[in-house]
Amino acid sequence: MTVNVKTKIIPLSEIEADSKVRIVSFTGGTKFRDKLLCQGIIPGQEVEVQNSGGAKYPVILKINDSKIMIGCGMTAKILVEPIIK
């Protein structure tokens, strides 16, 4: 018997620190999407949230061997799915 578990897709701003997530999509416009892609934030990619700023402070993401700081307004527009171990 196969069990199909649906994953929850939520904004990056709701993720706690020290969590791993997979980028699903962006809800912003073309310039916003291009900015994220230039920073290496690509749908399908797994990233680690090192510092969770919530709705007031920036979030620090670890992508491969790099760290990127994302403002709280931007994190609300990045949709992710938590990676459950």
Side-chain angles (χ1 to χ4, degrees):
M1 178 177 187
T2 304
V3 177
N4 186 8
V5 178
K6 292 184 179 181
T7 57
K8 186 175 181 181
I9 298 174
I10 57 177
L12 182 60
S13 58
E14 296 182 20
I15 300 295
E16 295 180 9
D18 299 322
S19 299
K20 289 192 178 185
V21 297
R22 181 174 294 110
I23 305 293
V24 175
S25 63
F26 312 127
T27 61
T30 304
K31 287 184 180 181
F32 176 74
R33 179 179 99 359
D34 290 346
K35 182 175 182 172
L36 293 176
L37 293 174
C38 286
Q39 291 178 337
I41 301 171
I42 301 167
Q45 184 174 37
E46 293 183 12
V47 301
E48 181 181 341
V49 179
Q50 292 201 321
N51 179 32
S52 178
K56 295 184 180 183
Y57 302 102
V59 171
I60 298 174
L61 299 178
K62 182 177 180 187
I63 303 174
N64 298 324
D65 292 330
S66 300
K67 292 183 182 179
I68 298 174
M69 185 180 299
I70 303 290
C72 57
M74 293 177 72
T75 60
K77 298 178 183 180
I78 302 171
L79 300 178
V80 300
E81 61 182 352
I83 297 174
I84 301 169
K85 293 182 181 182

